[in-house]
Amino acid sequence: MGLKLKSNSKVKGAVSSIPLTSPMPSLARLFVDAINSRFVIKHASGNLVKSDKITDILSFTRESPATYFGSDGLLKYAISGEPVFEYDPVTLKPLGVRVEFGTTNRIKFSDLFSSSAWNNSGLSISENDSLSPDGTKTASKIIESGTSDNSTHCISYTTEALATIGNPYTFSVFAKKNTASNFQLAISGITDSALFCNFNIESGEIGLSSPGSLTYGMLNASIIDVGGGYYRCSITVTPTIASYPILSICLTGNSLSSGAIPSYKASSLASI
């Protein structure tokens, strides 16, 4: 009586305990141990290439820097042309190599809300107020300015590039509750009316938002827990007008059901 065993492609125990001199299984072509920086590729000719750099076995290009969450749960910065190994920022579970699509950051001062590039209405900004997702004290606090009349409490940025009709735009921020738990992201200027979504950055809930479909309006809204009390909040919209997108971050009087770019009387000087 014979017994034939087949690999189930899983390794029990520490992957790092497998020596790189071990033969590759007959049908295997790639071995990736990102945690210990060990990479092996088997070419069709049978030749093996082993390295501690993934770029020695796989081609990768990216023309600009990128952000990602590392094994310690903090936001990291990859230089141009450097592959990104992502980790879940909460569980620290490795997620593998990020497969990227071509995108462009249209906000030149995305981490400097006090810049004159941002239009400020009814808010004050406290730069370098607290720890940001990358562990440095570079996070900004946005605070309501007290008003006796209804007014908006937003910072807005107008991009320098025209939107392309039908080409989705995503606007995202890392946000953390302070004395306010709710805020709003909005995009205007590229559809008939402003598109928005309200977020609760204490409970991780999405509140009132604009309707939409694959061809018009709000395409997607998401809120993701990234640890340290922060959430990554984003909205994606489909432009119907070839104009300059206006991106707004608004306080809402701590309401989760506010309409687009709300006006209200601020008395509590709430902040996020």
Side-chain angles (χ1 to χ4, degrees), residues 27-269:
L27 297 180
R29 293 290 180 267
L30 183 66
F31 174 84
V32 175
D33 177 9
I35 295 176
N36 298 289
S37 297
R38 304 186 315 148
F39 309 100
V40 183
I41 190 169
K42 183 178 182 181
H43 294 291
S45 63
N47 292 332
L48 288 177
V49 177
K50 306 173 184 180
S51 178
D52 60 356
K53 298 178 180 178
I54 192 172
T55 50
D56 288 341
I57 66 168
L58 295 175
S59 62
F60 178 86
T61 59
R62 188 184 57 249
E63 296 181 357
S64 62
T67 57
Y68 67 99
F69 284 97
S71 58
D72 57 1
L74 296 179
L75 192 68
K76 307 292 184 182
Y77 303 90
I79 62 174
S80 59
E82 177 187 0
V84 166
F85 291 96
E86 287 198 291
Y87 292 79
D88 185 292
V90 177
T91 67
L92 305 184
K93 178 182 178 181
L95 303 177
V97 180
R98 180 198 295 171
V99 178
E100 304 186 58
F101 299 93
T103 59
T104 302
N105 185 358
R106 299 295 186 186
I107 303 179
K108 291 184 177 180
F109 300 93
S110 56
D111 59 353
L112 188 62
F113 295 143
S114 60
S115 166
S116 59
W118 288 88
N119 180 48
N120 187 325
S121 172
L123 293 174
S124 61
I125 307 295
S126 176
E127 295 285 1
N128 303 322
D129 182 85
S130 56
L131 294 181
S132 67
D134 66 4
T136 62
K137 193 175 181 180
T138 54
S140 299
K141 181 190 292 183
I142 60 175
I143 311 158
E144 290 175 337
S145 298
T147 57
S148 57
D149 299 318
N150 287 335
S151 64
T152 59
H153 301 269
C154 305
I155 52 173
S156 302
Y157 183 96
T158 303
T159 70
E160 298 177 0
L162 287 170
T164 301
I165 295 175
N167 188 18
Y169 256 75
T170 295
F171 180 29
S172 69
V173 299
F174 292 106
K176 182 178 182 179
K177 75 171 290 288
N178 193 38
T179 56
S181 302
N182 301 299
F183 82 108
Q184 179 183 111
L185 294 181
I187 300 181
S188 56
I190 55 176
T191 53
D192 293 336
S193 58
L195 302 175
F196 72 97
C197 182
N198 296 310
F199 299 91
N200 184 302
I201 46 178
E202 181 175 19
S203 64
E205 295 178 87
I206 289 178
L208 183 67
S209 66
S210 299
S213 67
L214 291 177
T215 58
Y216 174 80
M218 183 73 70
L219 182 61
N220 183 56
S222 70
I223 180 169
I224 301 172
D225 185 355
V226 296
Y230 277 97
Y231 288 87
R232 184 169 189 169
C233 305
S234 67
I235 58 175
T236 301
V237 307
T238 304
T240 57
I241 300 172
S243 186
Y244 297 95
I246 303 172
L247 314 175
S248 300
I249 303 171
C250 301
L251 295 184
T252 63
N254 216 23
S255 170
L256 198 56
S257 57
S258 297
I261 310 179
S263 294
Y264 61 93
K265 296 178 181 179
S267 57
S268 63
L269 305 186

